Structures are given as structure tokens and as C-alpha cells.
Amino acid sequence: MIQYIAIILFVFGLYGLLTNRNVIKMIISLNIMEIGLFIFIISVGFVYDGIAPIISSTADLGLLYVDPLPQALVLTAIVIGVGTTALALAFAKSIHNKYNTFNLDEVEEKL
Amino acid sequence: MKNLLGLLISVALGILIVLALDVSESFPDFGSVEVSERVAEEYFDEDNVNEVGSGNIVTAVVVGYRGFDTLGEVTVLFISALGVALIIGSSKNQKRLDLKFKPNFMLKTGSRIVFGIILITSLYIITHGHLTPGGGFPGGAMIASGMLLLYLADDEFRSNIKGFKILEGLAGSLFVVIGLLGLLLATYFLQNFLPTGAVGDLLSAGIVPIIYILIGLKVGSEISGVIDNFLTEEESA
Amino acid sequence: MFDIISIVIGVIILVLAFLALNSKSLIKAVLFLSGISMLAVVLFVIMRAPDVAITEAVIGSGLVTALFVFTLLSVKKEEVK
């Protein structure tokens, strides 16, 4: 059930990215898409009644663990999302310094 | 008209994803995953765990088995911080952005005590990355959050940007040097060439804590540099 | 128990996302994004992923929201003139 919610969140973010003309709203839609994707990827590796994949000694290796590979992929993706958002906001600030607006339709008229 | 077209495309993509995953036979139901049929079964094997030596299996995957992807991610973060510094940064005289509110004296002094507590917590999370959840990436982001607190609490605070940039370059280069040492002293790039002790001790897991300390310092100084670039402007005297 | 909590949190996340995309003021949309990030941390914890939860909590609450607010503040200063 949580996978349907993650896919709907991804579609919300895509609709916001296609429709809005404000640069800040576009960056917010990109972040919403990314959060939906992270929830979906981690839900692929979940096992009912499993425990977190951290062992204290070599004695307890026979218990039921959740899959650790999707968590490693999402850990990398979160940090890359921060880098992308920072660069996009630097672009937005530079656009406002030059054209004095955040709306892309008005920037197209002034070009 | 454009809104309607966007709505149709998004809904069609959503329905396509749901139908494609329902039809395919190799996509398991939610929660009933057989871990013994996946690659992760090899990560829990006793010989492999003793070879990497880390108690946190996610750390063993990120730094040990897939360490080259972590090198790529560090490169992406470096390029984004470089881009922000080129677009917003200015090389002339710099002063803090004038935001028209002044914090008072108690905030300025009390924030330094809280910064000390945040710094100790972040160093604990970085160095215990192979025993408890956490590691280099959230620890480095916590160092940057501590610097953000100092920027918000004081109106005239500017950190030592030159020192941060030297630290960032040094940490990134040492990561590649340790990988090349693995190539020279052992068989392949980023192989564990230091002795791994017993799983669960603090001094175990070979090069994994060393790499996480370098990654934590690099991420922390990079994001602090980005925050400083967002909050300064040229002196228009 | 797991199903009930995850469905309730999921519905609240969808409502917040809908409000964030249709709001008129930019600062409210940024605050709704911060709320979505916090609820996603709760989902990560109940799906047994502590590493991802710590990373998303530190980055989503502190750094991304602060960068958005700094961009919006430095712009409003010029509109006041």
C-alpha cells in the first residue's frame, strides 16, 4: 500500500514540474519527486518482521534482516539531491539579480 | 490547455508504472521478499563479514563493496559546490548580507555553547560509522548545521573560508591516495589493506573508519562554504 | 499496526504535497516541503532503515530549508526598496 502512495507522490511532483512557471516552485516540485522515489526504493527491500541490518558480533548472523542494498543506494541519492538543490537555487538567485522576477514567462518577454 | 496536457501526461505515466509492475513476475509483493534469493545473501556470509570487518552492513556496502560509487558521489558534490562558488561568489571586498534584524547579546553568546555540543555529537557519529547507524554523510551535514547556527546567531560572523577550502581539497585527495595505496599494496583499487580486528570493536574494519572521517570532513566544509556564499555580497561602497 | 500507521502518514503526506503545489505564497510552500521531509523520516524509521532516516532528518530539516529561506529573504529586501 505504501508503494501506491510513493508513486502518486512522484506523479504529483511531475505535474508540478510541468505546470508551474515560477522557478522556486519548480525546485520544490523536484524535491517532492525525489522524496517519493526514496520511499519507493526503500519499500522494495522491506521484510515483515525483519530487523535493521546492524550486527554486534559474528554470533547473530542467522536472524531475519531487511535488505541493506536499497538503503545504500538511497543514502548516496539523498546527498546528491542536496547538491542539485543548492546549484539550482544559485541559478534562481542569479536570475532574480538580472531580470528582477522569478517567473519564466516574464523573463522570456524581457529577453 | 497546457495544464490539461500536463495532467494527462502525468496520470498516464502513473498508470503505466502501476500496470507494468503488477504484470511482471519478478517484482515481489510488499514485505514478502526472499532475501536468500538476492545479492544481499552474500553480504551476510560469515567469511565476507570478517573480510570487511564492519558491523554496520550498510557501511560495508557503501565503503567496502561499492566504494567506487562513493568516490563518484564525492565528485558530484565537489562539482556542485564549485558551481555555486562560481555563480554567486564574489572576489572583491565582502560583507554580510544586511537582513534588517539584529540578534541580541544572549543569543550570540549562548549559541557558542550549543555549537560545541553539536560538534562533539557530529564527531561521535562520524567515527562510530562502522558500529552504529550514521557514518560520514550525516556527520558532515551536522558540522555544516553547527556552522549555520553560528551564522544565524551573530550578525557579523564570517568563518575562515580559506582554511575550509584547503581542508576540503586535502580530504578529497587523501581519499584517492588511499585507494591508490590499495592498488599498490594489494590487488585492486580501494581494497582493505589494514588488518581488520574482531567485528564490534572500535578499532576494527581496516580502512573503513579512515575513509569515513575523510568523507565527513569534506562534506562538512563543502556545505559550510555553500552557506557562506549564500549569505555574503559585495561591498557596494 | 504497521499498515495503519503507514497509511495514515501517507495520506497526510499527499495532502501536504497538494497544498504545497497550489499555494500562492512561496514561503508557505517551503514550509510544507519541510513538513513532508519530516514525515518521510518517520516512514523510513518504521521501515527499518536507520542510516537513511538520520541522513534525511539532518539534511531535510536543516540545510535544504535554510537554503530556500536565504534565497527568498535576499530577494524580498530588493522589493521593499
Side-chain angles (χ1 to χ4, degrees):
Chain A
M1 195 57 211
I2 199 73
Q3 295 177 329
Y4 291 116
I5 291 181
I7 294 180
I8 293 178
L9 199 63
F10 182 80
V11 166
F12 270 3
L14 185 64
Y15 171 69
L17 193 59
L18 285 177
T19 317
N20 280 315
R21 300 308 285 172
N22 195 344
V23 176
I24 304 283
K25 282 274 185 73
M26 281 189 195
I27 300 175
I28 291 179
S29 306
L30 203 61
N31 269 334
I32 291 180
M33 270 171 77
E34 284 181 353
I35 289 182
L37 197 60
F38 297 154
I39 296 177
F40 182 73
I41 289 181
I42 287 191
S43 78
V44 168
F46 177 67
V47 181
Y48 277 122
D49 300 328
I51 61 177
I54 296 177
I55 62 177
S56 316
S57 65
T58 344
D60 44 10
L61 273 178
L63 305 175
L64 184 66
Y65 291 102
V66 299
D67 199 358
L69 189 57
Q71 301 180 14
L73 302 176
V74 168
L75 198 64
T76 302
I78 289 180
V79 179
I80 291 183
V82 172
T84 305
T85 302
L87 194 59
L89 283 175
F91 275 127
K93 198 170 175 182
S94 164
I95 284 181
H96 189 94
N97 278 348
K98 192 161 180 192
Y99 295 107
N100 215 11
T101 175
F102 271 141
N103 207 346
L104 285 185
D105 290 333
E106 297 178 20
V107 170
E108 276 187 22
E109 286 175 17
K110 289 186 190 179
L111 266 181
Chain B
M1 185 55 212
K2 199 166 49 173
N3 283 353
L4 197 59
L5 194 60
L7 185 64
L8 276 175
I9 290 179
S10 314
V11 170
L13 184 70
I15 293 181
L16 183 67
I17 293 177
V18 171
L19 282 181
L21 289 178
D22 264 342
V23 163
S24 89
E25 297 161 350
S26 58
F27 188 72
D29 291 335
F30 175 62
S32 49
V33 170
E34 290 285 333
V35 181
S36 56
E37 290 176 6
R38 293 182 164 184
V39 180
E41 183 64 20
E42 309 277 332
Y43 296 149
F44 290 115
D45 194 19
E46 182 159 351
D47 296 328
N48 290 340
V49 166
N50 279 332
E51 179 181 354
V52 176
S54 155
N56 189 355
I57 306 291
V58 179
T59 295
V61 174
V62 164
V63 180
Y65 294 113
R66 302 221 173 193
F68 199 59
D69 298 345
T70 306
L71 183 62
E73 173 197 353
V74 164
T75 306
V76 168
L77 207 56
F78 171 69
I79 290 180
S80 81
L82 186 68
V84 170
L86 280 177
I87 292 179
I88 294 188
S90 57
S91 56
K92 304 194 184 46
N93 305 333
Q94 294 181 335
K95 67 174 182 60
R96 278 287 299 268
L97 205 59
D98 185 20
L99 287 175
K100 295 195 179 28
F101 57 85
K102 292 210 153 298
N104 61 0
F105 170 71
M106 274 178 60
L107 192 60
K108 281 186 210 179
T109 329
S111 68
R112 296 185 193 249
I113 302 178
V114 180
F115 174 69
I117 298 179
I118 292 180
L119 203 60
I120 289 183
T121 306
S122 72
L123 285 178
Y124 172 80
I125 286 190
I126 291 178
T127 53
H128 283 70
H130 56 289
L131 300 172
T132 60
F137 294 110
M142 268 190 205
I143 295 182
S145 296
M147 301 296 299
L148 175 68
L149 174 70
L150 284 184
Y151 268 95
L152 284 178
D154 194 356
D155 215 5
E156 303 289 330
F157 177 80
R158 290 205 69 229
S159 59
N160 190 4
I161 287 303
K162 269 208 184 315
F164 274 153
K165 292 204 183 306
I166 293 178
L167 180 65
E168 167 187 348
L170 210 60
S173 328
L174 275 180
F175 187 175
V176 178
V177 162
I178 286 185
L180 287 177
L181 276 181
L183 186 62
L184 287 176
L185 298 177
T187 323
Y188 47 88
F189 190 70
L190 281 174
Q191 187 182 26
N192 217 346
F193 60 90
L194 293 179
T196 76
V199 169
D201 287 347
L202 184 56
L203 292 176
S204 65
I207 62 173
V208 170
I210 303 180
I211 288 187
Y212 253 169
I213 292 177
L214 291 175
I215 287 180
L217 288 176
K218 182 174 173 68
V219 169
S221 47
E222 253 167 4
I223 302 188
S224 302
V226 164
I227 288 181
D228 183 82
N229 277 330
F230 265 87
L231 276 180
T232 63
E233 61 175 5
E234 286 192 19
E235 192 148 20
S236 55
Chain C
M1 201 56 206
F2 172 85
D3 290 325
I4 299 176
I5 292 183
S6 70
I7 289 183
V8 165
I9 293 182
V11 166
I12 297 180
I13 286 185
L14 286 183
V15 166
L16 281 181
F18 182 72
L19 283 177
L21 290 181
N22 281 0
S23 81
K24 290 282 179 279
S25 85
L26 291 175
I27 192 75
K28 278 190 194 173
V30 168
L31 290 176
F32 287 144
L33 178 70
S34 182
I36 291 176
S37 186
M38 283 293 106
L39 289 176
V41 169
V42 176
L43 275 182
F44 289 150
V45 168
I46 66 176
M47 282 206 271
R48 312 278 196 258
D51 265 320
V52 177
I54 291 182
T55 307
E56 173 72 24
V58 168
I59 286 182
S61 75
L63 297 174
V64 170
T65 309
L67 286 180
F68 270 111
V69 166
F70 290 158
T71 307
L72 290 178
L73 274 182
S74 76
V75 157
K76 212 161 277 197
K77 165 180 81 87
E78 295 175 10
E79 282 181 16
V80 165
K81 279 186 192 163

